[in-house]
Amino acid sequence: MGGATIARCSGSWFPGVSYLLLVTALAIFPVSLMLAFILSIFQGRQEFREFNLISIVQPALTLLCVSFLVVFNARGIHWLLLAYLSASVVTTAVALYMLKPYTRKAARKFSSYGAASVKSGYKVHLSNVLAFVNYRSDIFLVNIFLGPASTGIYVISVQIVERLWILSQAVVQCFCLVSPNYSGEEEKRKILTPLISRWVLLGYDAQEQQVSG
């Protein structure tokens, strides 16, 4: 579907962007999606050591590839996309290798959890798709009206601002998985929830002071 969309609508939907860049960017999508699925498995199992390690590997490899491009004076957006694609492929391979021991143990249990996972999972996936469209539809509009260069500046600006979410996202990734363990212990939940909330607000206050300073 993505290839057909690029072939038919690349001129009107992505004016000023070459066909080669669009195809390279499209190749990144399935790899990134697979990596996100693997990360969600580690997150669901509360294997935060593996989750954090994989999350760090991809940006580290991307930085390493970009550094090589700078050293060898390989300039161009297509080189940057290839660097990101290469880092994503290697990270996904590492993640699959780290996931292998868990898949052996869970293979016999899949039949009992498969139907329940699909039943609840498609609702979450639909919500994620709608959230993605809501957050990223502005990029298409900026590209149509202002062109690729302005869109690049806009995307970088949005990414810088969204770094303020790092603290809250880290808390959500851990707390939303741990809190059900205290479903029958109301006193512990009453202590844990406000404690985490205070630390998150304190972190945001410190980040805002750094930005304003």
Side-chain angles (χ1 to χ4, degrees):
M1 182 180 294
T5 302
I6 292 176
R8 294 177 60 88
C9 307
S10 60
S12 56
W13 287 17
F14 309 99
V17 182
S18 69
Y19 183 80
L20 179 60
L21 290 179
L22 293 175
V23 172
T24 306
L26 181 62
I28 296 174
F29 173 74
V31 181
S32 300
L33 185 62
M34 174 62 72
L35 182 59
F37 286 158
I38 298 173
L39 283 172
S40 67
I41 294 175
F42 284 115
Q43 183 182 1
R45 291 185 54 87
Q46 300 184 25
E47 302 288 348
F48 295 116
R49 179 178 175 275
E50 289 79 0
F51 178 87
N52 292 330
L53 179 61
I54 296 172
S55 299
I56 293 173
V57 167
Q58 183 180 21
L61 288 177
T62 303
L63 178 61
L64 181 63
C65 292
V66 172
S67 300
F68 276 112
L69 294 179
V70 173
V71 170
F72 291 102
N73 199 27
R75 302 182 180 274
I77 298 177
H78 61 285
W79 286 112
L80 294 176
L81 287 176
L82 287 175
Y84 186 82
L85 176 60
S86 301
S88 299
V89 170
V90 173
T91 306
T92 303
V94 173
L96 286 172
Y97 178 79
M98 296 174 63
L99 185 65
K100 194 174 181 179
Y102 300 101
T103 56
R104 292 174 180 174
K105 298 177 182 178
R108 294 187 296 272
K109 300 180 180 180
F110 179 77
S111 59
S112 60
Y113 292 108
S117 299
V118 173
K119 184 177 180 180
S120 61
Y122 83 90
K123 301 175 184 177
V124 177
H125 182 67
L126 180 61
S127 174
N128 291 336
V129 170
L130 294 176
F132 179 82
V133 173
N134 181 42
Y135 285 145
R136 296 295 179 252
S137 58
D138 53 344
I139 297 177
F140 290 95
L141 296 176
V142 173
N143 185 64
I144 291 174
F145 290 108
L146 299 179
S150 299
T151 304
I153 297 174
Y154 174 78
V155 170
I156 294 173
S157 303
V158 171
Q159 290 292 323
I160 293 174
V161 174
E162 287 183 352
R163 293 306 92 190
L164 296 174
W165 294 351
I166 289 178
L167 183 60
S168 62
Q169 287 176 343
V171 172
V172 168
Q173 288 172 350
C174 299
F175 182 64
C176 289
L177 295 173
V178 174
S179 59
N181 297 334
Y182 300 99
S183 58
E185 304 178 54
E186 191 63 26
E187 291 300 323
K188 290 185 178 180
R189 293 181 63 183
K190 289 181 179 179
I191 297 174
L192 186 62
T193 302
L195 178 63
I196 292 178
S197 300
R198 285 195 294 270
W199 276 105
V200 171
L201 292 175
L202 179 64
Y204 269 119
D205 182 63
Q207 288 181 357
E208 289 179 358
Q209 291 180 2
Q210 291 179 357
V211 173
S212 61

